[in-house]
Amino acid sequence: MTIDGKAIAGRVMADLIPRAERLAQAAGRKACLAVVLVGDNPASRTYVRAKIKAAELVGIQGKELEFPAGVPQDELLAAVSALDADPSVDGILVQLPLPPQIDPDRVLDAISPAKDVDGFHPANVSSLQLGRPCTIPCTPKGIIRLIDSTGVSIEGKRAVVVGRSNIVGKPVAKLLLDRNATVSIAHSHTRDLKSLTREADILVVATGKRSLVDGSMVKPGAIVIDVGITRTAEGTLGGDVDFASAKDVAAWITPVPGGVGPMTVAMLMENTLECFEARINR
Ligand code: GUN
């Protein structure tokens, strides 16, 4: 069966509306999410638009800042630091990837952990690893919710994560471990990927390689979460999993588009309200 990420995200967003309203009453203003876009990557622009639109839908003020691809690092760092110091801003997100003259670590370090709605700051990353309270990165958090939506228990299951990025692979592996799955992380140097993925009760694929995983690599009855999204020259969107062949083998599978993507945006809204609430109660 298909895991309808779009519908599940829609319900999460609807539930966030009264929470945003309640917090706005308490604070005397709406939560404010600042989204920073650098350059003209069309995919990044689409994601930033979706995030601002979702914020407004939930009752969060969206503040979009745009910089040209050639912006000097110092100028970007100054702008991010200004947002960080601005008491009317509750969450800051800098859309990745950044152009080559910018060191992403310098930018992520400039956002204080309390406003880091992406959960990318080293303090949040280390807290996640240590099991301390933190902001959980949006995509991994959304993936766990999508798995939970199936009603299948994660505990004791064999989980395989293909991809080891800081944004998805590593944090989702930790979240699955926290839920008592037995977790393996595969990557571009993994030998015999197929024999590993065929053992997975839960298979998360986050590589950015179109159709890397097909039905022959999926264990019958598995839950398959496809994080990849790429556009072909003809303009069709597709994932890291070949949906057509995998859907008949898996018990549950996320489509692309309409799976993980909308859930990531919904989790960003939830993280923003969590940061807002913590700031109000400070
Ligand atoms: N680029 C791809 N995924 C993400 C994300 O979750 N957050 C940000 N800021 N950039 C991204």
Side-chain angles (χ1 to χ4, degrees):
M1 277 193 284
T2 298
I3 301 175
D4 189 346
K6 199 174 167 193
I8 298 164
R11 289 197 286 276
V12 170
M13 298 264 290
D15 287 345
L16 290 176
I17 293 171
R19 184 170 171 198
E21 173 62 26
R22 197 165 12 86
L23 293 171
Q25 291 281 345
R29 65 172 179 87
K30 286 182 175 181
C32 174
L33 170 65
V35 182
V36 179
L37 174 65
V38 183
D40 35 30
N41 180 323
S44 288
R45 187 173 294 278
T46 305
Y47 299 144
V48 165
R49 283 282 136 76
K51 290 168 183 180
I52 295 285
K53 204 174 132 199
E56 274 150 20
L57 207 123
V58 166
I60 296 170
Q61 188 201 337
K63 188 183 175 99
E64 188 180 338
L65 275 76
E66 225 182 291
F67 295 89
V71 65
Q73 176 167 283
D74 287 350
E75 196 179 311
L76 183 64
L77 286 173
V80 172
S81 299
L83 290 171
D84 201 61
D86 183 343
S88 71
V89 172
D90 304 291
I92 306 167
L93 176 154
V94 178
Q95 187 65 31
L96 302 177
L98 291 166
Q101 79 277 13
I102 313 273
D103 177 357
D105 289 343
R106 292 285 305 275
V107 177
L108 298 180
D109 289 356
I111 301 168
S112 61
K115 292 191 179 186
D116 171 32
V117 286
D118 262 329
F120 292 169
H121 188 280
N124 277 317
V125 175
S126 62
S127 291
L128 179 68
Q129 290 303 318
L130 294 168
R132 298 187 187 196
C134 64
T135 297
I136 298 170
C138 308
T139 302
K141 192 180 190 186
I143 289 169
I144 299 297
R145 299 281 178 92
L146 291 174
I147 297 169
D148 283 341
S149 78
T150 66
V152 175
S153 166
I154 297 173
E155 186 170 308
K157 295 284 159 49
R158 287 291 307 266
V160 172
V161 177
V162 187
R164 53 175 159 179
S165 70
N166 290 333
I167 295 182
V168 184
K170 282 188 272 187
V172 81
K174 176 62 166 66
L175 295 178
L176 288 163
L177 186 62
D178 289 346
R179 297 288 291 272
N180 298 323
T182 301
V183 184
S184 302
I185 304 178
H187 45 76
S188 53
H189 295 258
T190 296
R191 291 185 195 149
D192 195 5
L193 178 64
K194 185 178 190 159
S195 70
L196 185 65
T197 58
R198 281 190 62 89
E199 290 180 8
D201 304 305
I202 297 167
L203 179 60
V204 179
V205 192
T207 65
K209 294 194 181 74
R210 178 76 159 234
S211 299
L212 175 74
V213 168
D214 65 21
S216 74
M217 299 169 74
V218 173
K219 179 179 179 179
I223 297 174
V224 178
I225 306 292
D226 187 354
V227 187
I229 182 158
T230 47
R231 191 182 288 276
T232 60
E234 301 82 52
T236 44
L237 291 174
D240 291 358
V241 177
D242 176 46
F243 187 86
S245 63
K247 75 175 192 320
D248 297 327
V249 186
W252 295 93
I253 183 166
T254 59
V256 176
V260 171
M263 207 55 191
T264 293
V265 176
M267 292 300 103
L268 174 66
M269 300 306 124
E270 187 175 280
N271 282 355
T272 302
L273 292 180
E274 282 175 9
C275 288
F276 185 40
E277 186 162 22
R279 282 165 54 74
I280 292 171
N281 295 333
R282 211 171 31 182

